[in-house]
Amino acid sequence: MRPRSKGGDKSRKPRRRKAATTPKRRARGGAVRRRRSSVAGQEAKIARLERELNDALRQQTATAEILKVISGSAFDLQTVLDRLVESAMHLCDADAANIWRPDGNVLKLAASCGHTREFKEFAQRNPITPGHGTVTGRVFLERKTVHIPDVLADKEFTGTGYQSRGRYRSHLGVPMLREGEAIGVFALTRSDVTHYSAKQIELVATFANQAVIAIEDARLHEAEKERTRELHESLLLLERERENKLMNVEAITASIAHEVRQPLAAIATNGSAALRFFERTPPDYEEVRAALHRLIAESHRASELFDSIRSLFRKTDQERQPIDVNEITLEVLKSLRGELADHGVTVDAELAPKLPLVEGHRSQLQQVISNLVHNAIEAMDTVPERKRLLRVKTEPRDDHVVTIALEDSGPGIDPKQIEGIFDAFVTTKPGGMGLGLAICRRIVESHGGQISAISDGKDGALFRLDLSIKAPASERFRW
């Protein structure tokens, strides 16, 4: 018989035993912890890779934008440099970024981002001298990267003016090198004492290289523009020289026809007059003799005109002599006396006495005065109702210039045409060739003088020749 328990006949509930930890269970727990640690490690690695990927994408985007600006048709160096410092500052977690470029013996701020206006104005007034007193000057001098976590702890640093205005402590400077020579400095600063990572320093070096490429592209672009401009100017000069040569040929031919026509007409007139005087009964030998003398004089004048035109277009210096302006003016008026009388022109000559002599080619200056007198005669022919008066005046303008002025009472010249009146093939006459005044200007300018015209387009025109005095002092005055 089974003995009773003290608690009665109720069955006693069995006590649970604590399960013992077996090696298998311990292995399972370790695997879980390892899996959890591996997942955390993988998550950290993924986060790190994501950060690196984002940084790489940001860098790639910034580089692509900069290269796009560099390769653009409207390349602007300043825009590229500004974009570089801005990108470097953001990608390297800096507070400010600068690019410094040499200008003579100093470094000037070429681009800046993150700094105050006070800093930039201070930099403009105080360019950096290459040396160890500043990080920028040290980088440029040594042509190598300089990284200082705390500039105030650096014994050589003296750029306190920059530091106090820029409020920075850490400073990174990377040289911008072209063929081993420093052409600038790329600098980053932070307000706290800290180190730049090797990757950040490498990134700044990349931006520095891009800045060098941009500067070199800008230099080549400017050089190409300058070369294009020089080529364009050379082509214009060649074209102008060609046109001048063609104009010289045309001008010589036209000038011969224009200038020689007058003495030839005078020769024919005097020859006809001599025949008429000879055919009289009895013959008027005195008039015949006078007409023949005038004929001979006009033939000599024609010969001198050929010499004058030929010498005008020579490249070699012409033989010159002291000339009395009053004398050559009177000679021209005398030779044209008959023509002036035929056209009813009265001459009022006011010639200053004791004028200084000018140095020049006698026949060429006479040709200028003769052309101006003929132009005046033709102009006054168009207004028969007016009194035909030609005023001729000579005077010394100062110690170096003698002036010859010819003023007619014709219809004048349209003020709009005054400016180009001395250009070749420009004329105000219906049948004019437009060479007379152009040749006059060429002659006067070859003598170191100037010719000008004044007119209101209503009451005549005034032509003035200003001739330089170049004769020796002993020959300048006739007493």
Side-chain angles (χ1 to χ4, degrees), residues 196-213:
Y196 291 86
S197 67
K199 186 174 181 181
Q200 289 173 335
I201 295 174
E202 181 182 355
L203 180 58
V204 177
T206 300
F207 281 123
N209 290 333
Q210 290 179 343
V212 171
I213 293 172

Side-chain angles (χ1 to χ4, degrees), residues 387-460:
K387 180 181 179 181
R388 300 176 184 180
L389 176 64
L390 175 63
R391 293 187 177 92
V392 181
K393 183 177 181 180
T394 63
E395 60 182 348
R397 200 181 72 185
D398 52 40
D399 293 338
H400 306 286
V401 175
V402 171
T403 297
I404 307 173
L406 296 94
E407 183 177 9
D408 63 62
S409 59
I413 304 170
D414 187 345
K416 296 179 181 178
Q417 294 181 294
I418 287 288
E419 186 175 351
I421 196 67
F422 296 101
D423 293 341
F425 307 111
V426 174
T427 181
T428 59
K429 295 180 287 188
M433 300 180 65
L435 283 171
L437 290 178
I439 293 173
C440 288
R441 180 175 66 177
R442 179 162 184 164
I443 292 173
V444 173
E445 290 180 351
S446 71
H447 283 74
Q450 292 182 339
I451 184 170
S452 58
I454 301 173
S455 178
D456 60 1
K458 299 177 181 178
D459 300 315

Side-chain angles (χ1 to χ4, degrees), residues 2 195 360:
R2 186 180 297 177
H195 287 78

